[in-house]
Amino acid sequence: MRLQFYKPNAKVTGSACSFWTSEDGSIMSSMIKQDSWDDSRKRGSFSKNKDNPAKKVIIKLNPTEAGAIVDALENNRKWSGYHQSKNQVTRINFGPYERNGDQIGFSYSVNKEDKEDSTNKTSFIIGFTFGEGIVLREGLIDAIKNSLNSNQVEYQKPKSTPLPKKETAQ
């Protein structure tokens, strides 16, 4: 599964967001900040920031966290998560997005903060329309199923190995 959402804008404050399942069945998400805008083509770019750690974030979601996002989509709930590694702290938020009192979709935000220097932080946010929310929900449901299947440990009875015969002295 790989889902990609691009939301560039003329103010160069847009974001791109991906969700995918890695080879080991992990559910991953990334966000990257927009780096430019071509006004003549009305097109934004993200490519200059793809290798810049200050302008991107990658998150590994466990199946329960992915399920919480699906629940937020289905039931208009807010969900938040917290991840901590030796280098950074990330706060994840997903929930309904409203404008002028009307829900117009969902928002997904990640705040990344350096563990050693709390002033070194970056925020990422992207909005999803209701239609994009359906696509995201279906993709995450498939990712959860794949993750659970690939992380299943099957018990197999060990093969019996005959014991070596003892030699007898003659």
Side-chain angles (χ1 to χ4, degrees):
M1 181 267 309
R2 184 162 198 90
L3 299 173
Q4 297 179 324
F5 302 92
Y6 296 94
K7 302 290 181 107
N9 61 52
K11 295 184 278 183
V12 192
T13 58
S15 296
C17 177
S18 296
F19 290 87
W20 72 97
T21 307
S22 64
E23 289 181 18
D24 70 353
S26 298
I27 303 167
M28 307 298 293
S29 175
S30 69
M31 293 182 80
I32 187 168
K33 291 184 176 283
Q34 181 181 347
D35 67 62
S36 66
W37 179 258
D38 180 346
D39 201 45
S40 66
R41 296 169 65 190
K42 306 289 186 219
R43 185 180 299 179
S45 176
F46 300 87
S47 61
K48 290 179 186 168
N49 288 335
K50 70 181 176 88
D51 296 319
N52 182 346
K55 304 286 184 173
K56 74 173 189 175
V57 64
I58 298 175
I59 301 153
K60 181 177 181 178
L61 299 168
N62 66 42
T64 302
E65 292 170 323
I69 293 173
V70 170
D71 177 66
L73 285 160
E74 291 178 346
N75 297 297
N76 283 332
R77 293 185 221 253
K78 293 181 180 179
W79 172 76
S80 61
Y82 177 89
H83 289 190
Q84 181 174 306
S85 70
K86 65 178 183 170
N87 297 324
Q88 69 183 19
V89 172
T90 54
R91 290 173 180 81
I92 309 159
N93 292 290
F94 192 96
Y97 178 66
E98 293 183 4
R99 187 180 304 153
N100 300 326
D102 293 322
Q103 184 179 355
I104 60 171
F106 297 90
S107 69
Y108 177 48
S109 67
V110 177
N111 298 309
K112 176 173 82 166
E113 183 178 304
D114 187 290
K115 203 164 184 184
E116 301 282 319
D117 177 7
S118 63
T119 63
N120 182 9
K121 52 187 164 185
T122 309
S123 296
F124 303 83
I125 190 163
I126 192 165
F128 297 106
T129 64
F130 290 111
E132 290 166 334
I134 290 170
V135 172
L136 178 58
R137 183 190 71 208
E138 294 302 312
L140 287 175
I141 288 170
D142 284 347
I144 292 165
K145 288 176 186 175
N146 290 337
S147 179
L148 294 175
N149 289 336
S150 66
N151 289 320
Q152 260 183 356
V153 177
E154 293 183 27
Y155 174 77
Q156 294 180 350
K157 185 177 178 182
K159 293 179 184 175
S160 60
T161 307
L163 296 172
K165 291 182 182 176
K166 290 185 180 179
E167 292 184 28
T168 56
Q170 292 184 5

